[in-house]
Amino acid sequence: MVRIPTAKDIERELYTEAEIQQKVAELGAQISVDYSDKRIHVITILKGADAFANDLVHKISLNIPLSRDYMILSHFKDEFAPSGKVNLLLDLKYGIKGRDVLVVEDIVDSGHTLNYLVNSLLLPREPNSVRVCSFLNKPTKRVKEFKHLKIDYLGFDIEDAFVVGYGLDYRQYCRNWPFIAVLKEEFYKK
Ligand code: IMP
C-alpha cells in the first residue's frame, strides 16, 4: 500500500511559500529583461513543473508575447536500465521551428531527462533558441556525461535529498504543498 505523507512526516521546510514566490518573481524579472525583444514559447514539463510554470508566467512582462505548450516525460530506473530511460508520454501540440523556446522544469537531478528533452526532442525540431529554467538543481547528483548541461535560469541549488511540494511528488502526493520540504527518514522506512 502507498503511504501518504502528511504534515507530521515533514522533517524540515527547505523553502517557504514566501521564499519560493520571491525567487519566482526574480526569475520572471530576469526573463522579462532577456526576452524584451522576443516572443517566448514556454514548454512546461509535466507534471512536476506545473506549479512553478504557472507562477512564473504571471511574473513575465505582459509586453512579451507568450505562448504555452506542454510535454510529459518520465524517467524510469530499473534493473534493466539502472542509469534510466526517459520516455515521452505526451508530445507538444504545436511546432517549435523558428521559435524561442523556454523549457520550464521542476528539478534537474541526474540530467537524463533534460539531456533527452533538449538534445533528442527539441533541437532536432529547429527552434530559433532553447533556454532552460529549472526551479531546483541537484548538482552533486549530475552524472558525468551531463555535467555540461546548461540551466539558464535557476531557482536554487539543493543538497542531495528527496524533496516534495510545489509540484514535486512522492508517489503523486504532495504536489499541492505550497512549500518545498524534506520528509523524515522514518517515513520511507515504515
Ligand atoms: P533526472 O532525469 O534524473 O534529472 O530527473 C529529473 C526528474 O526526476 C524530475 O523532473 C523529477 O520529476 C524527478 N525528481 C528528481 N529528484 C526529485 C526529488 O527530490 N523529488 C521529486 N522528484 C524528483
Side-chain angles (χ1 to χ4, degrees), residues 149-171:
L149 282 180
K150 192 164 175 229
I151 300 174
D152 301 275
Y153 303 98
L154 175 66
F156 300 102
D157 275 330
I158 62 165
E159 61 194 284
D160 174 13
F162 190 80
V163 293
V164 295
Y166 199 53
L168 291 154
D169 73 306
Y170 170 78
R171 301 193 175 185

Side-chain angles (χ1 to χ4, degrees), residues 45-49 73-77 83-86 105-116 134 136-138 141-143 146 149 158-165 167-171 175 180-181 188:
I45 308 305
L46 297 173
K47 299 178 244 178
L73 293 174
S74 82
H75 181 187
F76 292 111
K77 290 179 209 168
S83 63
K85 178 175 173 351
V86 182
E105 260 286 22
D106 51 358
I107 187 165
V108 182
D109 188 299
S110 69
H112 279 96
T113 305
L114 187 59
N115 174 63
Y116 180 69
S134 182
L136 298 176
N137 180 37
K138 290 183 189 170
K141 291 286 291 297
R142 193 80 81 261
V143 297
F146 302 139
L149 282 180
I158 62 165
E159 61 194 284
D160 174 13
F162 190 80
V163 293
V164 295
L168 291 154
D169 73 306
Y170 170 78
R171 301 193 175 185
R175 291 192 196 275
I180 290 174
Y188 299 104

Side-chain angles (χ1 to χ4, degrees), residues 16-38:
T16 64
E17 186 172 1
E19 288 169 332
I20 290 172
Q21 292 308 325
Q22 168 67 30
K23 183 57 77 175
V24 172
E26 288 169 22
L27 291 169
Q30 185 60 53
I31 290 167
S32 302
V33 170
D34 295 352
Y35 285 81
S36 59
D37 56 350
K38 295 190 174 76

